[in-house]
Amino acid sequence: MERFAWKAIVKDGMLEEYKKRHDNIWPELKQVLKEAGIKNYTIWNVGNELFGYFECERGVKFAEDYQAQSSVVDKWNEYMKDVMVMELDPETGAQPKMQQVFFLE
């Protein structure tokens, strides 16, 4: 199983709203993520910084491609623009992948 990590910034004063929106994540978005093979998805924060991690049971490329073709993902990204800043990879349409530098199994 491949792992994927991303980072972003929550706009000043918007952390509670960010959390609220994720507490009420759209069922159709959850479905897209599951269909993309994404599991064990967690998002962490410190201050205004966000760190996301998930595992891709069908591979990172499949997950990226599947999300890039989803209008639901596009709508969610648009919905979140007023609370966070995340630059998307222009080639994949997904979050830029962080490079793994250490792994302990």
Side-chain angles (χ1 to χ4, degrees):
M1 182 158 328
E2 290 185 78
R3 295 175 302 280
F4 187 99
W6 58 266
K7 64 181 182 128
I9 301 293
V10 174
K11 293 182 179 181
D12 288 339
M14 298 302 285
L15 183 59
E16 290 309 312
E17 180 63 23
Y18 179 89
K19 290 178 183 179
K20 178 181 165 188
R21 292 183 189 188
H22 281 79
D23 287 343
N24 297 296
I25 194 167
W26 306 335
E28 58 270 28
L29 181 59
K30 282 183 170 181
Q31 185 62 36
V32 168
L33 297 175
K34 288 178 183 180
E35 290 171 1
I38 293 172
K39 300 178 76 164
N40 194 25
Y41 194 168
T42 55
I43 301 173
W44 305 79
N45 90 285
V46 61
N48 283 8
E49 295 179 29
L50 296 170
F51 168 76
Y53 168 88
F54 56 83
E55 296 168 351
C56 305
E57 65 184 4
R58 299 178 76 179
V60 170
K61 176 137 178 51
F62 180 86
E64 287 175 335
D65 291 347
Y66 196 90
Q67 291 179 84
Q69 297 174 22
S70 171
S71 63
V72 174
V73 171
D74 291 342
K75 289 176 188 174
W76 180 262
N77 290 341
E78 187 65 31
Y79 175 59
M80 296 302 290
K81 278 185 177 179
D82 66 328
V83 298
M84 67 182 292
V85 177
M86 176 183 286
E87 294 184 27
L88 299 179
D89 183 321
E91 289 184 30
T92 66
Q95 306 95 334
K97 183 180 182 185
M98 297 178 75
Q99 297 300 309
Q100 179 178 307
V101 295
F102 176 77
F103 177 67
L104 175 66
E105 191 165 359

